Amino acid sequence: MLCWSVVLLEILVWRAMRLGDAWVIPTLLAYGARWVWLMPVAVIAPLLFWKRSTLIPLALAFGIWLVPVMQFQWPHIAAAERSCPLTVVTLNADQRADPAAFRKLLDAESADIVAMQEWEEKAGESGLSGWTVRCAGQLCLGSRHGIRSVEVLDRGTIGGYHAMAVAADVATANGPVSFFAVHLETVRKGIEPVLHAGAGAARGLRANLSLRELESRTVQAWIHQRSRHSAIVAGDFNMPTDSAIYRRNWAGWSDAFQSAGAGFGHTKFTSLWGIRIDHVLFDDSWQAVSSRVGPDIGSDHRPLIATLQRLACAPRRN
Protein backbone atom coordinates (compact mmCIF):
# COMPACT_ATOMS: atom_id res chain seq x y z
CA MET A 1 0.00 0.00 0.00
CA LEU A 2 2.85 2.41 0.85
CA CYS A 3 4.53 1.86 -2.50
CA TRP A 4 1.33 2.46 -4.43
CA SER A 5 0.81 5.64 -2.39
CA VAL A 6 4.16 6.89 -3.72
CA VAL A 7 3.00 6.08 -7.26
CA LEU A 8 -0.12 8.17 -6.62
CA LEU A 9 2.02 10.99 -5.23
CA GLU A 10 4.21 11.05 -8.35
CA ILE A 11 1.10 11.14 -10.56
CA LEU A 12 -0.29 14.06 -8.56
CA VAL A 13 3.03 15.90 -8.83
CA TRP A 14 3.10 15.32 -12.58
CA ARG A 15 -0.42 16.65 -12.97
CA ALA A 16 0.45 19.65 -10.81
CA MET A 17 3.42 20.45 -13.05
CA ARG A 18 1.06 20.69 -16.00
CA LEU A 19 -0.88 23.36 -14.11
CA GLY A 20 2.27 25.44 -13.76
CA ASP A 21 1.72 28.91 -15.31
CA ALA A 22 -2.00 28.48 -14.70
CA TRP A 23 -2.37 28.32 -10.91
CA VAL A 24 -0.18 29.82 -8.20
CA ILE A 25 0.94 26.76 -6.18
CA PRO A 26 1.57 24.51 -9.22
CA THR A 27 3.65 27.33 -10.70
CA LEU A 28 5.85 27.38 -7.60
CA LEU A 29 6.27 23.61 -7.91
CA ALA A 30 6.94 23.63 -11.65
CA TYR A 31 9.79 26.15 -11.41
CA GLY A 32 11.29 24.66 -8.25
CA ALA A 33 13.68 21.75 -7.74
CA ARG A 34 11.87 18.86 -9.42
CA TRP A 35 14.53 16.38 -8.34
CA VAL A 36 13.22 16.50 -4.76
CA TRP A 37 10.27 14.36 -5.86
CA LEU A 38 12.66 11.44 -6.22
CA MET A 39 13.10 11.43 -2.43
CA PRO A 40 9.85 9.53 -1.62
CA VAL A 41 10.93 6.80 -4.05
CA ALA A 42 14.43 6.67 -2.57
CA VAL A 43 13.11 6.46 1.00
CA ILE A 44 11.04 3.33 0.37
CA ALA A 45 13.45 1.72 -2.14
CA PRO A 46 15.11 -0.44 0.61
CA LEU A 47 11.83 -2.34 0.87
CA LEU A 48 13.00 -4.24 -2.21
CA PHE A 49 15.38 -6.21 0.00
CA TRP A 50 12.44 -7.64 1.95
CA LYS A 51 9.53 -7.65 -0.50
CA ARG A 52 10.13 -8.29 -4.20
CA SER A 53 6.50 -7.40 -4.87
CA THR A 54 7.42 -3.73 -4.36
CA LEU A 55 9.48 -3.75 -7.57
CA ILE A 56 6.61 -2.90 -9.91
CA PRO A 57 5.20 0.11 -7.99
CA LEU A 58 8.71 1.42 -7.26
CA ALA A 59 9.72 1.13 -10.92
CA LEU A 60 6.49 2.82 -11.96
CA ALA A 61 6.98 5.66 -9.45
CA PHE A 62 10.57 6.15 -10.60
CA GLY A 63 9.49 6.18 -14.26
CA ILE A 64 6.84 8.83 -13.61
CA TRP A 65 9.39 10.96 -11.77
CA LEU A 66 12.01 10.54 -14.49
CA VAL A 67 10.00 11.16 -17.65
CA PRO A 68 6.93 13.38 -17.12
CA VAL A 69 8.11 15.16 -13.95
CA MET A 70 11.80 15.65 -14.85
CA GLN A 71 11.11 15.68 -18.61
CA PHE A 72 13.85 13.17 -19.36
CA GLN A 73 14.19 12.38 -23.07
CA TRP A 74 15.25 8.92 -24.18
CA PRO A 75 17.73 8.77 -27.10
CA HIS A 76 16.06 8.92 -30.48
CA ILE A 77 16.79 7.04 -33.67
CA ALA A 78 18.84 9.44 -35.76
CA ALA A 79 17.13 10.88 -38.82
CA ALA A 80 18.53 9.90 -42.20
CA GLU A 81 21.21 12.36 -43.27
CA ARG A 82 20.30 14.70 -46.09
CA SER A 83 22.24 17.27 -48.06
CA CYS A 84 20.91 20.51 -46.55
CA PRO A 85 21.31 20.60 -42.75
CA LEU A 86 20.94 23.85 -40.82
CA THR A 87 22.43 24.26 -37.34
CA VAL A 88 20.79 26.71 -34.95
CA VAL A 89 22.17 27.85 -31.59
CA THR A 90 20.39 29.89 -28.93
CA LEU A 91 21.92 31.37 -25.77
CA ASN A 92 20.81 33.73 -23.04
CA ALA A 93 24.18 35.32 -22.28
CA ASP A 94 23.00 36.93 -19.01
CA GLN A 95 25.48 39.72 -19.96
CA ARG A 96 28.23 37.44 -18.62
CA ALA A 97 28.97 34.94 -21.39
CA ASP A 98 32.43 35.01 -22.90
CA PRO A 99 32.08 36.20 -26.54
CA ALA A 100 35.30 34.44 -27.57
CA ALA A 101 34.14 31.12 -26.08
CA PHE A 102 30.77 31.53 -27.75
CA ARG A 103 32.36 32.20 -31.13
CA LYS A 104 34.57 29.14 -30.68
CA LEU A 105 31.46 27.05 -30.00
CA LEU A 106 29.68 28.37 -33.10
CA ASP A 107 32.69 27.56 -35.26
CA ALA A 108 33.07 24.08 -33.75
CA GLU A 109 29.39 23.33 -34.39
CA SER A 110 29.41 24.89 -37.88
CA ALA A 111 26.41 26.93 -36.76
CA ASP A 112 24.38 28.73 -39.42
CA ILE A 113 22.03 30.89 -37.34
CA VAL A 114 22.13 32.07 -33.75
CA ALA A 115 19.66 33.72 -31.37
CA MET A 116 21.16 35.70 -28.46
CA GLN A 117 19.35 37.14 -25.46
CA GLU A 118 20.68 39.54 -22.82
CA TRP A 119 23.61 40.21 -25.09
CA GLU A 120 25.06 43.68 -25.56
CA GLU A 121 24.66 44.76 -29.17
CA LYS A 122 28.31 45.81 -29.54
CA ALA A 123 29.52 42.54 -28.03
CA GLY A 124 27.29 40.59 -30.40
CA GLU A 125 28.64 42.34 -33.46
CA SER A 126 32.32 42.25 -32.45
CA GLY A 127 32.14 38.66 -31.22
CA LEU A 128 30.62 37.48 -34.50
CA SER A 129 32.89 39.13 -37.02
CA GLY A 130 32.13 37.82 -40.49
CA TRP A 131 28.51 37.16 -39.55
CA THR A 132 25.50 39.33 -40.26
CA VAL A 133 24.06 40.42 -36.90
CA ARG A 134 20.89 42.36 -36.12
CA CYS A 135 19.93 43.46 -32.60
CA ALA A 136 16.97 45.11 -30.91
CA GLY A 137 18.55 46.15 -27.63
CA GLN A 138 19.85 42.96 -26.00
CA LEU A 139 17.90 40.59 -28.27
CA CYS A 140 20.01 39.67 -31.29
CA LEU A 141 20.05 37.25 -34.17
CA GLY A 142 22.98 36.42 -36.39
CA SER A 143 23.67 34.38 -39.49
CA ARG A 144 26.57 33.26 -41.64
CA HIS A 145 24.22 33.93 -44.52
CA GLY A 146 22.56 37.12 -45.68
CA ILE A 147 19.78 38.64 -43.56
CA ARG A 148 16.97 40.79 -44.88
CA SER A 149 13.50 42.04 -43.94
CA VAL A 150 14.28 42.51 -40.24
CA GLU A 151 11.30 43.35 -38.01
CA VAL A 152 11.01 43.86 -34.25
CA LEU A 153 8.09 43.22 -31.89
CA ASP A 154 8.43 45.52 -28.90
CA ARG A 155 7.01 44.68 -25.48
CA GLY A 156 5.53 48.17 -25.39
CA THR A 157 2.64 46.77 -27.42
CA ILE A 158 1.43 44.96 -24.29
CA GLY A 159 2.60 47.43 -21.69
CA GLY A 160 6.29 46.70 -21.08
CA TYR A 161 9.82 47.42 -22.23
CA HIS A 162 12.38 45.93 -24.61
CA ALA A 163 11.94 43.61 -27.57
CA MET A 164 9.98 40.36 -27.34
CA ALA A 165 10.93 39.04 -30.77
CA VAL A 166 13.07 39.83 -33.80
CA ALA A 167 12.18 38.41 -37.21
CA ALA A 168 14.41 38.06 -40.26
CA ASP A 169 14.46 36.29 -43.58
CA VAL A 170 17.76 34.39 -43.81
CA ALA A 171 19.02 33.57 -47.30
CA THR A 172 20.64 30.13 -46.94
CA ALA A 173 22.16 28.09 -49.74
CA ASN A 174 19.08 25.85 -49.70
CA GLY A 175 16.49 28.59 -49.79
CA PRO A 176 15.15 31.33 -47.53
CA VAL A 177 14.29 30.71 -43.88
CA SER A 178 11.93 32.75 -41.71
CA PHE A 179 13.87 32.95 -38.45
CA PHE A 180 12.58 34.38 -35.19
CA ALA A 181 14.62 35.13 -32.07
CA VAL A 182 12.50 35.49 -28.93
CA HIS A 183 13.00 36.44 -25.29
CA LEU A 184 9.82 36.11 -23.25
CA GLU A 185 9.10 37.47 -19.77
CA THR A 186 10.38 35.55 -16.76
CA VAL A 187 8.14 34.01 -14.11
CA ARG A 188 10.80 34.93 -11.56
CA LYS A 189 9.29 38.42 -11.24
CA GLY A 190 6.12 36.80 -9.92
CA ILE A 191 7.67 34.01 -7.85
CA GLU A 192 10.32 35.93 -5.92
CA PRO A 193 7.83 38.27 -4.15
CA VAL A 194 5.80 35.21 -3.06
CA LEU A 195 8.91 33.55 -1.65
CA HIS A 196 9.80 36.70 0.31
CA ALA A 197 6.38 38.02 1.30
CA GLY A 198 4.24 34.89 1.31
CA ALA A 199 0.64 34.46 0.15
CA GLY A 200 0.05 38.21 0.23
CA ALA A 201 2.13 38.52 -2.95
CA ALA A 202 0.13 35.89 -4.85
CA ARG A 203 -1.80 38.60 -6.69
CA GLY A 204 1.46 39.75 -8.27
CA LEU A 205 2.22 36.21 -9.43
CA ARG A 206 -1.25 35.92 -10.98
CA ALA A 207 -0.64 39.21 -12.79
CA ASN A 208 2.67 37.83 -14.05
CA LEU A 209 0.93 34.72 -15.39
CA SER A 210 -1.67 36.84 -17.19
CA LEU A 211 1.02 39.05 -18.73
CA ARG A 212 3.04 36.07 -19.90
CA GLU A 213 -0.03 34.43 -21.40
CA LEU A 214 -0.80 37.62 -23.33
CA GLU A 215 2.82 37.89 -24.41
CA SER A 216 3.01 34.34 -25.77
CA ARG A 217 -0.29 34.76 -27.59
CA THR A 218 0.88 38.07 -29.10
CA VAL A 219 4.30 36.76 -30.16
CA GLN A 220 2.87 33.56 -31.62
CA ALA A 221 0.34 35.50 -33.72
CA TRP A 222 3.03 37.96 -34.85
CA ILE A 223 5.30 35.09 -35.91
CA HIS A 224 2.48 33.36 -37.76
CA GLN A 225 1.80 36.51 -39.79
CA ARG A 226 5.48 36.80 -40.77
CA SER A 227 6.30 33.17 -41.57
CA ARG A 228 6.76 33.60 -45.29
CA HIS A 229 9.15 30.65 -45.64
CA SER A 230 10.14 27.54 -43.70
CA ALA A 231 10.07 28.83 -40.13
CA ILE A 232 12.27 28.39 -37.04
CA VAL A 233 11.79 30.03 -33.63
CA ALA A 234 14.63 30.05 -31.09
CA GLY A 235 15.33 31.72 -27.79
CA ASP A 236 14.65 31.97 -24.10
CA PHE A 237 10.96 31.20 -23.63
CA ASN A 238 11.32 31.28 -19.83
CA MET A 239 9.02 28.26 -19.51
CA PRO A 240 9.35 24.48 -19.82
CA THR A 241 7.37 22.57 -22.41
CA ASP A 242 4.88 21.25 -19.83
CA SER A 243 3.89 24.82 -18.87
CA ALA A 244 0.20 25.56 -19.39
CA ILE A 245 1.12 28.76 -21.25
CA TYR A 246 3.54 26.87 -23.49
CA ARG A 247 1.03 24.14 -24.29
CA ARG A 248 -1.69 26.67 -25.14
CA ASN A 249 0.47 28.80 -27.42
CA TRP A 250 3.43 26.81 -28.71
CA ALA A 251 2.26 23.20 -28.97
CA GLY A 252 1.68 23.64 -32.70
CA TRP A 253 5.46 23.81 -33.21
CA SER A 254 7.88 20.89 -32.99
CA ASP A 255 10.56 21.12 -30.32
CA ALA A 256 14.08 20.14 -31.41
CA PHE A 257 15.16 18.67 -28.08
CA GLN A 258 11.97 16.68 -27.65
CA SER A 259 12.35 15.42 -31.22
CA ALA A 260 16.07 14.59 -31.26
CA GLY A 261 17.62 15.26 -27.84
CA ALA A 262 18.54 12.92 -25.00
CA GLY A 263 18.71 13.39 -21.24
CA PHE A 264 17.27 16.21 -19.15
CA GLY A 265 18.45 19.01 -21.46
CA HIS A 266 18.61 21.64 -18.73
CA THR A 267 19.55 25.04 -20.15
CA LYS A 268 19.08 27.30 -17.11
CA PHE A 269 20.81 26.57 -13.81
CA THR A 270 20.53 27.75 -10.22
CA SER A 271 22.82 26.58 -7.43
CA LEU A 272 20.48 23.64 -6.70
CA TRP A 273 18.71 22.63 -9.90
CA GLY A 274 18.32 23.07 -13.62
CA ILE A 275 15.38 23.45 -16.00
CA ARG A 276 14.96 23.54 -19.78
CA ILE A 277 13.40 26.89 -20.67
CA ASP A 278 15.36 27.65 -23.86
CA HIS A 279 13.99 26.08 -27.01
CA VAL A 280 14.45 25.70 -30.75
CA LEU A 281 11.07 25.21 -32.44
CA PHE A 282 10.32 24.50 -36.08
CA ASP A 283 7.35 24.11 -38.40
CA ASP A 284 6.44 21.06 -40.49
CA SER A 285 8.95 22.01 -43.21
CA TRP A 286 11.75 20.65 -41.04
CA GLN A 287 12.97 17.49 -39.32
CA ALA A 288 15.25 17.51 -36.27
CA VAL A 289 18.51 15.62 -36.77
CA SER A 290 20.08 16.31 -33.37
CA SER A 291 19.77 18.59 -30.36
CA ARG A 292 21.98 18.96 -27.31
CA VAL A 293 23.02 21.38 -24.59
CA GLY A 294 26.42 23.01 -25.03
CA PRO A 295 29.12 23.80 -22.46
CA ASP A 296 29.23 26.48 -19.79
CA ILE A 297 30.62 29.67 -21.33
CA GLY A 298 30.00 32.04 -18.44
CA SER A 299 26.21 32.51 -18.33
CA ASP A 300 23.69 30.89 -15.99
CA HIS A 301 22.17 29.51 -19.22
CA ARG A 302 23.80 26.94 -21.48
CA PRO A 303 23.74 27.12 -25.28
CA LEU A 304 21.13 24.93 -26.94
CA ILE A 305 22.31 23.49 -30.26
CA ALA A 306 19.94 21.98 -32.82
CA THR A 307 20.59 20.65 -36.30
CA LEU A 308 17.55 20.57 -38.60
CA GLN A 309 17.01 19.56 -42.19
CA ARG A 310 14.36 20.46 -44.71
CA LEU A 311 11.94 17.66 -45.49
CA ALA A 312 11.78 18.80 -49.11
CA CYS A 313 15.56 18.51 -49.52
CA ALA A 314 16.73 15.73 -51.81
CA PRO A 315 18.90 13.04 -50.17
CA ARG A 316 22.64 13.32 -50.72
CA ARG A 317 23.89 11.15 -53.58
CA ASN A 318 27.11 9.19 -53.38
Side-chain angles (χ1 to χ4, degrees), residues 210 212-222 245 249-250:
S210 297
R212 291 170 55 242
E213 170 69 36
L214 174 62
E215 179 186 52
S216 274
R217 191 166 61 245
T218 301
V219 173
Q220 159 66 5
W222 186 81
I245 294 176
N249 295 282
W250 301 101

Side-chain angles (χ1 to χ4, degrees), residues 30-264:
Y31 289 93
R34 298 188 179 200
W35 60 263
V36 302
W37 298 105
L38 177 61
M39 294 175 66
V41 182
V43 167
I44 65 172
L47 290 176
L48 278 171
F49 291 104
W50 291 277
K51 298 184 67 174
R52 293 295 181 182
S53 60
T54 62
L55 176 61
I56 292 177
L58 279 173
L60 184 57
F62 177 78
I64 296 170
W65 170 83
L66 181 67
V67 180
V69 174
M70 290 296 295
Q71 296 196 298
F72 182 87
Q73 293 289 322
W74 298 105
H76 298 74
I77 298 175
E81 184 180 358
R82 295 174 182 266
S83 58
C84 51
L86 188 80
T87 297
V88 178
V89 177
T90 181
L91 172 68
N92 184 321
D94 192 36
Q95 302 179 25
R96 296 182 297 175
D98 181 353
F102 188 48
R103 176 57 186 266
K104 184 178 180 179
L105 172 71
L106 296 181
D107 290 342
E109 297 293 337
S110 299
D112 297 284
I113 309 177
V114 61
M116 300 173 289
Q117 309 86 48
E118 295 191 44
W119 194 286
E120 295 292 344
E121 183 174 354
K122 291 182 180 179
E125 293 175 347
S126 62
L128 293 179
S129 59
W131 284 52
T132 304
V133 179
R134 296 290 183 269
C135 294
Q138 295 183 348
L139 178 58
C140 304
L141 58 80
S143 172
R144 293 185 187 274
H145 314 280
I147 289 179
R148 59 178 184 270
S149 303
V150 177
E151 297 181 69
V152 177
L153 177 60
D154 193 87
R155 191 166 279 110
T157 59
I158 60 171
Y161 303 95
H162 311 304
M164 296 184 288
V166 179
D169 288 342
V170 180
T172 75
N174 298 294
V177 175
S178 292
F179 184 74
F180 304 88
V182 302
H183 188 193
L184 304 184
E185 185 61 271
T186 176
V187 71
R188 187 176 65 251
K189 294 180 180 179
I191 288 178
E192 288 182 348
V194 173
L195 297 179
H196 289 95
R203 180 178 297 179
L205 177 52
R206 285 191 287 268
N208 173 271
L209 300 183
S210 297
L211 174 64
R212 291 170 55 242
E213 170 69 36
L214 174 62
E215 179 186 52
S216 274
R217 191 166 61 245
T218 301
V219 173
Q220 159 66 5
W222 186 81
I223 287 173
H224 179 73
Q225 293 170 359
R226 286 157 181 79
S227 297
R228 292 179 282 267
H229 311 289
S230 300
I232 301 171
V233 186
D236 181 0
F237 287 70
N238 267 310
M239 65 185 86
T241 55
D242 59 358
S243 153
I245 294 176
Y246 182 97
R247 289 183 287 109
R248 279 194 294 265
N249 295 282
W250 301 101
W253 296 81
S254 296
D255 178 276
F257 193 84
Q258 287 185 325
S259 300
F264 296 112

